[in-house]
Amino acid sequence: MRCRGRADPSRWGYPRHHARKQAEQRLFEREDAARRQLAEIQSYYDTAPIGLAVLDTELRYRRINERLASSNGHPVAAHLGRSLREMVPDLAATLEPRLKQVIATGEPLRDQEIQFPSHDPAGRTRCYLEHYLPLLGGDGEVIGINVVVEDISERRAMEQQIRAFNADLERQVAARTADLQATHDALLESEEKYRKLFDHAGDAIVVVDLAGNFVDINAAACQRYGYDRETFLTLNVADLDVPEEADEIRQRLTRIEERGEYAFEARHRTADGRILTVEVKGVALSIGGRACLFGIWRDITERKRAERALRDAHQRVSELLDAMAAAVYVTDMETFELVFMNETARMVWGDGAGQLCYQALHGLESPCTFCTNDKLLDASGEPSGCFEWEHFNTQSQRWYGLRDRALRWSDGRLVRVEIATDITGYKEAQARIEHLAYHDSLTGLPNRLQFIERLGELTKADGQASSLVAICYLNVDDFKAINERDGRAFGDAVLVELAGRLRRALHKAEFVARAGSDEFALLLTELANTAEAIDRARAIQRRIAQVLWVKGQSLHLSISLGLTLFPIDQAGPDALLQHAHEALFQAKRRAPGSYHLYDPIHDHQARQQRQLYQEFAQALTQDQLVLHYQPKIRLADGQVHGLEALIRWQHPHKGLLRPDQFLPIIEDSPLEFALGEWVIKTALMQQAFWREQGQQLLISVNISPRQLQEQNFSAFLARALGLDAEQAGAQAGQLSAEQGGEQAGGQDGEQAGEQVGEQVGPLDGEQAGELGSEPVAAGSARLEIELLEIARLDNAVAAAVVMRDCKRLGVRFSLDDFGTGYASLTYFHQLPIDVVKIDRRFVLNMLDNAEDRAIVEGVLLMSRTLPRPVLAEGVESFEIGQLLQQMGCEYAQGYGIARPMPAEQVLPWLSAWAKERRWHQRATDPKPPNPDPSAP
């Protein structure tokens, strides 16, 4: 047995333990260094002069600094985890596509400029320059986006103001070539604006050490010089100075420490190579024991350029004063002595220096009555601005535009500086322009503008007069053919000859103008009545349509005439002329060479109809249309047969409108088709809702006959019914089989009628029986289309083809208002009609009117012969319904059963109708009661 010796320390892990401790120490030191580095990064992130943020791939904020958060109008904490759309909804539509592009491509997107309303009290819009940099994961995939936002609002505002200033300065310099004093004042004002502009601009603020190295800078310096903050802090002042001035700047820096403050100008180069002239002001100070220079750098590049321009302008103005064409002279305002005249003034009036102005300039013996001295001084007798006026000088027989200004000279006297520009040519041109503005250049007649003004004077003066004013519009029929055949010069000669003939045809108080190419407008006055107005206008029309000789050719012209009469037509001048033009158009439509008198009442009605048409077009898209439903019952047992959908318009201002108040307006228009489709779709959607409630109700709708003749109508119905091509074929086959079975079952009229009624019953199953409704057979119709008998079908054969296609889809057809039309037997022969509806006017009074009752009996007899079931409209009492049932009528509809009701009232009404027992008891008397005791 061996004795145990001292244990080997290495066997028990002491060296390993020591190594682990050393590793942990190194790890701790690296973590501590990483934390410090992260803290420094976070500190920079939070204090950065630009906006910074990190978004994930779902565009949610994962990090954002205070500057960007405040520009978004929310604190930093509110952003974290929230989406871009939540925090800046106004910019989401602009930013999301750009950010998603970076995520998709992995490529950075730089220099994206956007506008965004700031959240300061003034609510100003700020301009930002944004950069979107992809944030990549270890596998190279994009895991987020670094967003960098620079506020460039001040730079953009500065650029805009500088551009505006430059443009204003150029205009001011150009304008002052006319007179010296105005140029001087405007340039002084421009300089004041310029200085004020730069006094309020954001300046670059820098801190440098005595060696010229940048210690700190502000955001304005970064924006102006084009360097980011990190790059800027690595530079020296010498890096910005232009080479030729670098040595001088270094010497200045050396002397600054001695004086403690400094001010000078320098030229700097920006990152993109631009040269800036900078006004440098600052002081020497100590920061943390380190000697530094604090400076404010103001960009005066534009100011220097403006100063050079100002000096140049002064020089140019001095030169222009000696050579300007305007006459410039100066007069003592107290003695009227001419103390100065330029060369132009001397050329016009001679050298009058030392003479009295009213004698030298106007040849008068006393001061001018139009002297402007009192217009140039304020209440205290001091100069107060300029006075501009025009004057005709009788001495020179010329027009002058004058600009006067009072000045107080250094010797205390007041003088008037007067600049006179010869505007004789301008005045003559103005007179010609005014003539052209009111006259036709070809014929010399007044033009449309002068005609409207003259018409306005007449209508204003004669608005209450008993006489009439005729506003006429004449036109040469087919004048275009004359131009094409004989040339435009010949056509112009024709118009000149017509203008002369019109002048000669008018009385002294009447007026003629050329209103267009070959159109003339007339004002005929002092007319006693409409007949006299028409006779007078027609006489002129016939006179100017007589044989016309032009360049040796004889022409027989056709002249059409339109006219309106004031104050019968009480429109304004422009509208009156337009009404006459509309009347001319109607005359030309009727026949060349005719006339037409405008009818204000008819036009008002037409405008109302057009307005209603436009409102109805909006109603179709703005949910203003509603359907009311009126029940139909089977008279034999009172069971509900179906519902008729009736259109109503819930007008926003006129209330609920009936169909007769708006349907005539849209007749034969595209809206008629759109309405028909809307009614069918809406009724079927309501039917589907009731089906979900357990009520399978037949729906009847009214459509335009023209719509029925459209070949694609059956295809529309198939889509509306929710049938595809295969289902439509199967439905057609099933109905064909059922119809064949009916024909084989017998020809008895009453039996056939009942079979049809059973086939189209509205409800299904025992639940329907509880509501008093008849059961529906398999494959029966869901939709019934009603046709008005009074509606003409342009092509009954084509309509029959469409109707048969619709019947294969399970759609029925009824003939509405039977007995009021003109082609009943023709319709029965050509159209596959399923049901006949007797017009309500024959049913309403059948208890008291034997003729109406006879018509109803005749319709019932014919329907049994065809055979067709009959539905009577206008059943307003139980007694009428009882009589109809005894006469053999199958179905009824009317106020005695139910009024048309909104869709939401139908189901409650069905429940209540089940309790109307007298309508549900089958009549037993085979003969109808005789309402007339005296009848045999």
Side-chain angles (χ1 to χ4, degrees):
M1 182 174 181
R2 259 189 307 180
C3 295
R4 295 181 179 177
R6 171 180 284 179
D8 184 357
S10 63
R11 293 178 58 193
W12 295 95
Y14 291 114
R16 293 181 184 174
H17 178 71
H18 181 67
R20 185 172 64 252
K21 286 292 187 178
Q22 288 179 335
E24 289 175 352
Q25 179 63 26
R26 287 194 298 271
L27 178 61
F28 175 78
E29 292 174 353
R30 284 197 296 270
E31 288 178 349
D32 184 59
R35 280 193 298 270
R36 288 197 303 272
Q37 184 176 8
L38 182 61
E40 291 176 0
I41 294 173
Q42 183 64 44
S43 174
Y44 167 73
Y45 199 85
D46 293 337
T47 60
I50 58 176
L52 299 172
V54 177
L55 302 176
D56 61 19
T57 55
E58 296 181 0
L59 303 185
R60 294 191 298 264
Y61 285 95
R62 292 307 178 190
R63 174 173 288 182
I64 186 170
N65 68 351
E66 179 62 32
R67 177 176 292 273
L68 182 55
S70 62
S71 68
N72 288 347
H74 304 284
V76 171
H79 285 76
L80 302 181
R82 304 285 291 276
S83 69
L84 179 78
R85 184 172 292 275
E86 291 178 282
M87 303 313 296
V88 283
D90 294 339
L91 288 177
T94 302
L95 298 181
E96 283 182 352
R98 304 178 185 181
L99 295 171
K100 290 178 179 178
Q101 176 185 340
V102 175
I103 294 173
T105 63
E107 296 295 331
L109 194 60
R110 304 179 187 275
D111 299 328
Q112 302 295 305
E113 188 168 323
I114 63 170
Q115 302 286 333
F116 184 60
S118 67
H119 295 277
D120 62 2
R124 293 168 295 186
T125 298
R126 307 291 295 179
C127 182
Y128 296 94
L129 189 66
E130 301 195 353
H131 314 276
Y132 313 123
L133 311 174
L135 183 62
L136 304 180
D139 55 0
E141 294 185 357
V142 178
I143 62 173
I145 302 175
N146 280 317
V147 179
V148 180
V149 180
E150 300 179 55
D151 188 342
I152 60 172
S153 304
E154 296 297 333
R155 186 172 71 196
R156 289 290 183 262
M158 177 73 69
E159 291 171 354
Q160 182 178 358
Q161 290 174 326
I162 290 175
R163 285 194 297 270
F165 173 77
N166 286 340
D168 181 64
L169 182 61
E170 291 176 2
R171 288 193 298 270
Q172 294 291 341
V173 171
R176 292 312 177 265
T177 58
D179 73 86
L180 173 64
Q181 189 62 49
T183 300
H184 179 265
D185 294 341
L187 288 174
L188 288 178
E189 182 180 355
S190 297
E191 183 178 7
E192 181 181 353
K193 290 180 180 178
Y194 188 88
R195 291 183 182 278
K196 184 180 296 184
L197 169 66
F198 284 93
D199 286 342
H200 291 83
D203 297 322
I205 302 175
V206 302
V207 178
V208 299
D209 60 21
L210 296 183
N213 298 312
F214 286 100
V215 177
D216 196 8
I217 46 92
N218 69 346
C222 295
Q223 293 174 1
R224 184 159 296 119
Y225 286 87
Y227 296 104
D228 58 43
R229 181 179 178 82
E230 291 77 9
T231 304
F232 222 133
L233 295 179
T234 65
L235 300 177
N236 187 280
V237 174
D239 297 325
L240 301 183
D241 292 327
V242 295
E244 57 270 23
E245 296 181 2
D247 293 338
E248 181 181 350
I249 299 302
R250 292 190 188 94
Q251 295 175 6
R252 286 177 177 174
L253 289 175
T254 304
R255 296 193 298 269
I256 286 171
E257 187 177 12
E258 302 173 359
R259 293 196 301 267
E261 61 181 24
Y262 58 95
F264 57 87
E265 292 182 3
R267 289 195 301 153
H268 290 167
R269 188 183 304 275
T270 65
D272 58 3
R274 292 180 296 109
I275 302 299
L276 301 180
T277 301
V278 182
E279 181 182 70
V280 180
K281 292 182 179 180
V283 296
L285 48 78
S286 176
I287 300 178
R290 180 182 182 184
C292 296
L293 301 176
F294 175 86
I296 299 176
W297 295 1
R298 174 166 298 170
D299 183 359
I300 60 171
T301 306
E302 293 301 324
R303 191 179 75 189
K304 286 295 184 180
R305 185 179 297 120
E307 289 174 353
R308 288 193 298 272
L310 184 61
R311 289 193 299 270
D312 294 344
H314 276 295
Q315 182 179 355
R316 288 195 297 269
V317 168
S318 298
E319 295 172 353
L320 287 172
L321 183 61
D322 294 333
M324 64 189 306
V328 181
Y329 41 89
V330 180
T331 305
D332 188 304
M333 296 179 66
E334 182 177 356
T335 65
F336 298 102
E337 178 186 357
L338 278 169
V339 295
F340 170 79
M341 297 180 72
N342 73 345
E343 183 178 355
T344 302
R346 290 193 297 271
M347 290 176 60
V348 175
W349 293 288
D351 189 358
Q355 301 181 27
L356 299 179
C357 62
Y358 52 83
Q359 292 178 344
L361 303 180
H362 302 287
L364 301 175
E365 294 301 325
S366 58
C368 307
T369 58
F370 47 83
C371 183
T372 60
N373 281 359
D374 59 340
K375 298 178 177 63
L376 306 178
L377 304 176
D378 60 18
S380 64
E382 292 301 315
S384 62
C386 299
F387 179 74
E388 295 183 1
W389 55 299
E390 293 179 357
H391 176 68
F392 180 73
N393 189 290
T394 55
Q395 183 118 340
S396 62
Q397 293 294 302
R398 307 290 291 177
W399 275 99
Y400 290 94
L402 298 108
R403 180 183 178 91
D404 295 1
R405 184 183 183 92
L407 297 176
R408 185 175 290 280
W409 279 0
S410 58
D411 58 3
R413 61 174 172 169
L414 286 171
V415 296
R416 181 179 74 247
V417 179
E418 196 161 57
I419 302 174
T421 304
D422 191 332
I423 59 170
T424 306
Y426 164 77
K427 298 294 284 187
E428 293 173 351
Q430 186 180 44
R432 289 194 297 270
I433 291 172
E434 289 180 357
H435 182 271
L436 290 175
Y438 286 93
H439 291 81
D440 173 49
S441 59
L442 176 65
T443 63
L445 290 177
N447 61 9
R448 182 188 182 95
L449 178 61
Q450 188 175 356
F451 185 89
I452 291 295
E453 290 187 0
R454 175 61 177 155
L455 179 56
E457 296 170 359
L458 275 178
T459 53
K460 183 177 181 180
D462 298 341
Q464 304 298 327
S466 58
S467 62
L468 299 178
V469 175
I471 299 92
C472 306
Y473 222 108
L474 293 96
N475 169 259
V476 181
D477 296 321
D478 202 18
F479 183 75
K480 182 179 179 182
I482 296 175
N483 277 335
E484 292 177 349
R485 183 184 66 245
D486 300 315
R488 184 171 298 276
F490 184 84
D492 289 347
V494 172
L495 294 176
V496 172
E497 185 63 29
L498 277 177
R501 186 169 286 186
L502 278 169
R503 282 196 190 96
R504 294 188 292 272
L506 297 184
H507 298 159
K508 182 177 181 181
E510 295 172 339
F511 195 79
V512 59
R514 186 184 179 195
S517 173
D518 59 331
E519 297 175 341
F520 297 89
L522 307 180
L523 280 178
L524 308 180
T525 59
E526 299 180 358
L527 302 169
N529 50 51
T530 301
E532 182 181 345
I534 294 174
D535 289 344
R536 175 78 180 119
R538 291 282 285 160
I540 295 173
Q541 180 187 19
R542 288 190 295 270
R543 179 170 177 179
I544 65 173
Q546 294 174 358
V547 176
L548 198 70
W549 286 90
V550 179
K551 295 186 177 182
Q553 295 186 39
S554 63
L555 293 178
H556 295 268
L557 298 180
S558 172
I559 305 295
S560 294
L561 168 69
L563 69 157
T564 188
L565 302 178
F566 178 86
I568 297 175
D569 183 356
Q570 294 190 347
D574 288 290
L576 286 171
L577 188 58
Q578 179 61 32
H579 293 171
H581 191 269
E582 291 175 11
L584 171 65
F585 179 73
Q586 295 296 329
K588 294 176 76 69
R589 287 184 59 185
R590 180 184 304 160
S594 63
Y595 82 98
H596 182 78
L597 176 64
Y598 180 80
D599 184 353
I601 297 177
H602 178 270
D603 179 71
H604 177 70
Q605 294 173 344
R607 285 198 302 270
Q608 286 184 322
Q609 290 181 348
R610 288 194 296 270
Q611 176 67 22
L612 192 62
Y613 181 89
Q614 295 171 354
E615 291 176 357
F616 188 81
Q618 296 177 351
L620 272 172
T621 60
Q622 296 179 359
D623 297 328
Q624 296 179 13
L625 301 181
V626 294
L627 290 180
H628 285 193
Y629 298 88
Q630 187 174 30
K632 307 174 185 178
I633 67 168
R634 187 167 60 190
L635 286 170
D637 53 10
Q639 304 300 313
V640 175
H641 170 64
L643 299 168
E644 180 179 2
L646 301 169
I647 186 68
R648 298 290 188 269
W649 180 5
Q650 188 63 53
H651 195 282
H653 306 298
K654 300 178 182 178
L656 194 65
L657 302 183
R658 301 185 309 275
D660 59 340
Q661 294 176 282
F662 58 87
L663 288 184
I665 303 298
I666 67 170
E667 187 175 352
D668 295 333
S669 76
L671 291 182
E672 190 176 36
F673 288 83
L675 176 61
E677 293 184 357
W678 181 90
V679 169
I680 291 174
K681 291 178 181 178
T682 304
L684 289 175
M685 285 192 295
Q686 184 62 50
Q687 184 188 55
F689 172 78
W690 285 328
R691 189 182 307 116
E692 293 174 356
Q693 306 301 313
Q695 314 303 325
Q696 195 162 344
L697 299 167
L698 173 70
I699 300 293
S700 301
V701 298
N702 294 275
I703 66 168
S704 163
R706 291 178 63 246
Q707 193 164 12
L708 185 63
Q709 298 174 79
E710 294 292 320
Q711 294 182 353
N712 61 353
F713 180 68
S714 59
F716 160 74
L717 270 186
R719 293 192 300 271
L721 291 166
L723 300 175
D724 56 24
E726 182 178 350
Q727 290 173 320
Q731 179 83 337
Q734 186 177 21
L735 288 175
S736 298
E738 292 175 357
Q739 292 169 358
E742 288 177 9
Q743 293 174 356
Q747 298 298 325
D748 180 72
E750 184 176 356
Q751 183 179 2
E754 291 178 358
Q755 288 175 350
V756 174
E758 290 295 331
Q759 179 187 347
V760 297
L763 296 177
D764 188 12
E766 296 180 357
Q767 292 179 347
E770 294 176 0
L771 292 178
S773 302
E774 62 184 288
V776 63
S780 64
R782 293 164 50 193
L783 182 67
E784 180 177 273
I785 295 178
E786 298 190 2
L787 300 176
L788 290 176
E789 185 196 355
I790 60 173
R792 288 187 179 273
L793 292 173
D794 298 333
N795 189 338
V797 175
V801 172
V802 176
M803 290 173 66
R804 290 189 179 92
D805 289 340
C806 296
K807 288 176 68 66
R808 294 189 184 97
L809 303 174
V811 177
R812 289 162 40 103
F813 289 90
S814 63
L815 188 61
D816 201 2
D817 292 346
F818 188 79
T820 62
Y822 47 81
S824 303
L825 294 179
T826 301
Y827 281 0
F828 276 124
H829 175 67
Q830 294 182 336
L831 304 179
I833 300 296
D834 297 289
V835 180
V836 176
K837 296 182 70 174
I838 304 177
D839 185 72
R840 64 189 303 275
R841 72 190 72 179
F842 304 122
V843 177
L844 284 174
N845 301 317
M846 60 180 295
L847 293 177
D848 303 317
N849 190 310
E851 292 182 358
D852 287 349
R853 179 179 173 185
I855 292 174
V856 174
E857 288 177 337
V859 173
L860 291 170
L861 177 61
M862 184 183 69
S863 68
R864 285 193 292 270
T865 304
L866 288 171
R868 297 288 191 278
V870 176
L871 184 146
E873 298 179 304
V875 178
E876 298 199 354
S877 67
F878 174 76
E879 290 73 21
I880 294 177
Q882 188 178 35
L883 177 58
L884 286 167
Q885 190 271 326
Q886 293 172 354
M887 294 171 67
C889 182
E890 289 91 339
Y891 304 104
Q893 175 183 3
Y895 286 2
I897 301 166
R899 291 176 175 269
M901 65 189 77
E904 60 269 17
Q905 297 180 11
V906 169
L907 295 182
W909 179 86
L910 286 172
S911 298
W913 178 254
K915 302 174 184 178
E916 292 286 340
R917 296 302 176 190
R918 63 174 182 170
W919 284 97
H920 298 307
Q921 296 174 356
R922 187 179 182 90
T924 57
D925 187 358
K927 295 182 180 180
N930 189 350
D932 186 358
S934 64

